[in-house]
Amino acid sequence: MVGDENGNLNLSANVTRSAFVKMAVAASPYGATVGDTTAVSPYPDVPYTHWAAGFVEAGVAAGLISGYSDGTFRPASSITLAEGATIALGLLGYSAEDYSGAYPSPQMALYHSLSLDKGLTAQAASAPLTRHDAMYLFYNLMTAASKTTGTY
C-alpha cells in the first residue's frame, strides 16, 4: 500500500475490488508474473487498458477472485469483508471444495477460526473493507495456518 502525494495512507478509505485484487496477487506466488499491460480484457468492465487488468486476469487465473453472475467485475466497487476474506483464504490454499453451505457463512467461519479477523473493524460480511482492514488482513495472513504447508 502506498500513500497519497502527502504520504497519507488514508486508512479509513474503502478499498476497491481492483485495488484489493492487486494486493492479493502481489502477495501471491503469481505477483512477479503480472506485467504492466495485458492484451486481454478479463471482463467487459475491465478493459485491457485498465490499470488493474493484468492483476484481475492473474487473480481469476489463480482462482482467487471471480466476477459477478451478470458477467461484470465491478472494479471500482468497494470490496466486502466476505469477498476479501474469501480471497485471503484462497491465498492460504482454500477453495470452493473446502466449503459447505451457502456463501459466505462457511468462508466467514473459517476466516474467524484462523484469526484473520484480528485488528479489523469490519464485522458484517457485507461491510466494505477499509485500507486499515486490508492492512490487517494481509498482516494476519503472515501467521495464519495454510491449508497444507503450515503458515503462509
Side-chain angles (χ1 to χ4, degrees):
M1 230 185 293
V2 296
D4 62 19
E5 62 278 353
N6 298 319
N8 186 342
L9 287 176
N10 300 309
L11 294 177
S12 62
N14 289 348
V15 177
T16 64
R17 287 174 47 87
S18 55
F20 193 86
V21 77
K22 178 181 179 182
M23 291 178 214
V25 169
S28 78
Y30 311 102
T33 65
V34 178
D36 291 335
T37 61
T38 183
V40 178
S41 294
Y43 289 93
D45 57 343
V46 184
Y48 73 93
T49 55
H50 189 280
W51 68 267
F55 293 100
V56 172
E57 182 182 15
V60 169
L64 294 175
I65 195 163
S66 62
Y68 292 97
S69 60
D70 66 358
T72 62
F73 184 77
R74 304 177 195 165
S77 294
S78 295
I79 194 155
T80 66
L81 173 58
E83 292 168 333
T86 302
I87 292 169
L89 292 168
L91 288 169
L92 293 173
Y94 295 95
S95 65
E97 293 80 34
D98 297 306
Y99 310 116
S100 62
Y103 175 85
S105 295
Q107 289 86 345
M108 294 304 294
L110 184 56
Y111 156 82
H112 289 297
S113 73
L114 293 173
S115 298
L116 293 175
D117 56 354
K118 290 181 187 174
L120 276 76
T121 58
Q123 299 295 311
S126 61
L129 283 182
T130 64
R131 290 171 60 91
H132 170 272
D133 293 329
M135 177 185 67
Y136 271 99
L137 183 56
F138 283 104
Y139 179 79
N140 293 337
L141 273 173
M142 292 191 281
T143 57
S146 73
K147 180 179 174 183
T148 58
T149 60
T151 57
Y152 179 69

